[in-house]
Amino acid sequence: MGVRLRAGLSVVLLIGFFVLITGLIAGFAGLAIYALATGRLAGIKLVIVAGIVIFAIGGALYKVLKHRPQPHGAAITRAEQPELWQMIDELAVIANTRGPDEIRLVPEVNAAVWEDSKLLGLRPGRRYMEIGLPLLAGLTTSELRAVLGHELGHYSHGHTKYAAVTYRASATMAHTVDGLDGPIGWLMRMYMKLYFLVARSANRAQELQADALAVRAAGKSAARSALGKIPALDMAWTHFNRSYVGLVGQAGRTPDLLLGFNSYLTNGTRRAQLAELQGEMLDAEPASKYDSHPPIRVRIATIEKMSEPDQAGDNRQAWALMRQPERTIPQLESQLLISDLGPRASWEEIVRLAGAAIDKNNAETLTKLATTSGVTRTGSLDEVLTAIEQGKGLALVSQVLDDDVHPHNKQQAAVEVLTQLVSDTISLALIRSGRAEYQLDWSGPMRLRLTGGSMLNLPELVEPAIAEPAQMPVLREWIARMNIIAAVEEPTAAQQSSKWTYDPSAR
């Protein structure tokens, strides 16, 4: 079945849904009028049922039709980025379609096009293209060209008009069905499943059509490579945000997102991890008849069968298309941030400041827990270690343990929490005395390094003493040798915070 035929059939099914609903309403209304006219009590029940159905449909229709998609992200103007716009203009000619009226940079691993059309897509409207910031760091110029050629292929084949018709109508269908129960609800859900079965089949065929434009735009190698990279790139971006961008709030500084993500991706350890992950993700990707996209392995196999000749690749980083990237990209990034995070700083400075801030918060938390629990008097490190030696560790931190932790696991959970809090208290003392600082490491967690010396893994030193109090003298001897106690006894009760914000993924 051809793509247009599938799309047309899905639209017919959409129309059929509303015809069916209208027929049911008319039927219920007719029966209610007849029952009331004949004086039967059942007529009142039928009126109520008809009213519920009409209300569900009307409310869903109003809610969905009222919603209009809004452009988001940072606008990329033609005057500021002529090279990028020129490439997209060329791709529009290849796709034989009108290009976008507006291009926006968005903070997702994605590229998309949409049209603010009128009359459910019957009247053309303003066209938008969204380009994910991470794609500029993770793809080559040829790969980005393939991705954007694919998106323009959606314009070329009228897919965005089809989407405009089906998106709101599909949402209306889903909202309507959610409001219906009983036999009518069951009937409508079965009809909706049939519709989505046909509609998603059309969506998958459209994706393959758009892939043909990607090949024509950049060649088979670039199209295949871009498709294979994007799932792993998406996972990498999520991890980068959680592990590194998550530090910027603690540091009170604004980072260079794209430069940082590029450093993350080009790190040898990360590159090897992503290469392995990419193959695993392609092999494990599930397939369903209700998916809007075919599995990537299927799309790559389809590309391999195309007769289109390959093209020479442009292996420059995709941000090479941006004019003066060192100036313009930070400006665009600042528009993507939710709020002003403070002065712009290097990732090295952000890690150094954030690590110290996390340690300070956790050291104050340990003091607060030790005093409010009644286990110690002042909450000093010496008193905390003594309490742990006396077997009071669980009582000390019980108020911050999750309620759903099984009783048999609480002791181990307490060991983990205390290990981190005590370690951070010690590292704060070292940082305050100028004997250590946190250093950036793109291959893993941030590292604490002694000034002019080696990396220091404090949890490795602390955990044996927390887990087995008999080992505490070993830790105490090391602390005394490093002269740490005096440096720790700085926070006062007024400065303490009961909020424990430590996130293990940031380490």
Side-chain angles (χ1 to χ4, degrees), residues 6 9-14 16-17 20 173 186-202 289-290:
R6 296 184 201 187
L9 180 57
S10 69
V11 173
V12 169
L13 286 172
L14 271 178
F17 176 81
L20 179 59
M173 182 187 295
W186 179 85
L187 176 63
M188 292 298 98
R189 278 188 284 276
M190 292 301 102
Y191 192 100
M192 185 174 69
K193 289 184 70 174
L194 174 63
Y195 162 72
F196 280 114
L197 191 66
V198 175
R200 294 297 182 255
S201 174
K289 55 189 176 183
Y290 295 107

Side-chain angles (χ1 to χ4, degrees), residues 423-446:
S423 296
D424 288 351
T425 300
I426 295 172
S427 64
L428 177 64
L430 292 171
I431 290 169
R432 282 178 167 171
S433 63
R435 287 179 289 165
E437 67 176 13
Y438 280 101
Q439 292 191 348
L440 173 67
D441 185 356
W442 290 117
S443 66
M446 56 183 176

Side-chain angles (χ1 to χ4, degrees), residues 30-50:
L31 286 172
I33 292 171
Y34 172 76
L36 288 174
T38 57
R40 296 181 180 178
L41 184 61
I44 297 176
K45 295 181 179 179
L46 289 171
V47 169
I48 293 173
V49 172

Side-chain angles (χ1 to χ4, degrees), residues 1-14 157-159 162-163 165-166 195 198-199 201-203 205-206:
M1 187 184 296
V3 180
R4 290 184 182 274
L5 184 57
R6 296 184 201 187
L9 180 57
S10 69
V11 173
V12 169
L13 286 172
L14 271 178
H157 292 289
H159 300 165
Y162 169 77
V165 173
T166 59
Y195 162 72
V198 175
S201 174
N203 293 147
Q206 288 171 346

Side-chain angles (χ1 to χ4, degrees), residues 256 259 319 322-331 344:
D256 289 320
L259 290 176
W319 72 41
M322 304 288 285
R323 175 174 289 185
Q324 297 181 326
E326 68 285 349
R327 177 182 64 84
T328 58
I329 289 178
Q331 289 176 353
R344 190 166 289 275

